[in-house]
Amino acid sequence: MNSLNRVFEYELPTEICFGLKSLQKLPEKVEKYNGSRIFVISDPGVKDAGILEKVTDQLSNIPHEEFWDIEREPDVKTIRKIQDKINDFNADLVIGVGGGSAQDAAKAVAIMATNEGDITEYAGLDKVPNAGLPTICIPTTAGTGSEATIWTVMSDKENNKKFGVGGKLIAPTVALCDPELTVSLPASITASTGVDALTHALESFVNKATQPISEALSRESMRLISKSLRQAVHQGDNIEARYDMLLGSTIAATAFNPTRLGLAHALCMPLGGKFKVPHGTANAILLPQVMKYNLAGNAERYKEIAEIFGENTENLPLHEAAELSVKAIRKLNKDVGIPTGLSEFGVTENDLDYIAEGAIGSDNVDVNPKKPIIEDLKQIVRNSL
Ligand SMILES: [Fe+2]
């Protein structure tokens, strides 16, 4: 499928440290990047689960300050508030511990510590001129992959918008991934974040910008997630399943950095911004409909996805084999308890124009295997209600 004449590039700006008890490596990483005044960002759930304390215990003799009140889909106002605290504390290294929100906030404030103006001015790719403070991201969910991506996503609630700031300079300096930290995650969040990770691997794998290194990473990510998501959801303390899921999620992030994603992620932005549908849940609900729409755009790849998920494609015509991938994802969603439709979040037929118009301009649309028109996006959302 890949042309021999095609030139592709792959760069991973983040140092990844992965494994059980890898949290104990935190002091070593802080020293490596000359951290002497550390600002730690987290959320209330992570604090209540005792994970924040496990992290700060590792920093015992290094001056540090915490902000643990990050909300879901952090608002730019919160980012500005933390910026002020970081300046007052004179921090020289930022740690984000949590799901996507805490990590994305850490990445955003690290950049804003060394760049002028307001974070909203840097929306888009490669708009940030200066490298930020060193950042260590410690994921406690297996889903966003924020620990290894070049993106930070936040909300601008005043304007009902979500936006991303991206580029090599946004990538965390270190991803410290200890699967033990994901064990206490509730089943419903394990499910939605897990399907988000799968959507990263899958959308990258079928899109127009994919390339051999990303493809290899996507395959391994999907293999791990197909093997272990159900167990991670239904047996939360199964450390092997938690290990596979965090590995699958981090690997998916490294797959999609150079490729972008697809229509599910494009549609997630207006759904998260105005309707507050959690990112992972929105992706999980949309994914089967997006796949159905995309099948003809890259049937070979969808056939391979079906096979990764254990479907028997032997002797089937290509389009029928490809269709089995949709069946496999629907079954996975059902098994892990994903909500059945967007109407559960108050989205109605009357909102289709707003959502489709909010998604059509996304870079994730440009790389999708089929080029949609507004009506296509509306139909995908309509079918996902
Ligand atoms: Fe995502």
Side-chain angles (χ1 to χ4, degrees), residues 114-230:
T114 56
N115 286 279
E116 298 290 322
D118 189 75
I119 187 80
T120 48
E121 294 163 32
Y122 297 111
L125 185 62
D126 290 332
K127 302 274 168 62
V128 175
N130 304 320
L133 297 178
T135 317
I136 299 177
C137 279
I138 305 175
T140 62
T141 67
T144 78
S146 180
E147 67 276 9
T149 70
I150 60 169
W151 289 93
T152 169
V153 179
M154 64 212 85
S155 307
D156 180 354
K157 286 176 184 149
E158 223 166 60
N159 296 303
N160 266 336
K161 262 204 233 156
K162 271 184 85 176
F163 67 98
V165 178
K168 200 173 78 178
L169 298 179
I170 314 298
T173 317
V174 178
L176 193 53
C177 310
D178 186 339
E180 277 185 10
L181 303 182
T182 68
V183 165
S184 58
L185 200 64
S188 64
I189 302 177
T190 302
S192 58
T193 52
V195 182
D196 182 31
L198 169 65
T199 311
H200 296 154
L202 194 154
E203 292 208 294
S204 173
F205 189 60
V206 299
N207 83 17
K208 285 179 187 159
T210 197
Q211 41 118 311
I213 295 176
S214 290
E215 287 160 19
L217 293 163
S218 283
R219 279 190 189 94
E220 178 60 4
S221 170
M222 289 190 284
R223 186 189 72 79
L224 288 163
I225 295 170
S226 68
K227 174 176 162 242
S228 294
L229 179 55
R230 289 175 174 88

Side-chain angles (χ1 to χ4, degrees), residues 20-28 58 176 178:
L20 296 175
K21 312 240 182 286
S22 60
L23 182 61
Q24 292 170 5
K25 293 252 186 198
L26 183 59
E28 190 187 305
Q58 297 286 334
L176 193 53
D178 186 339

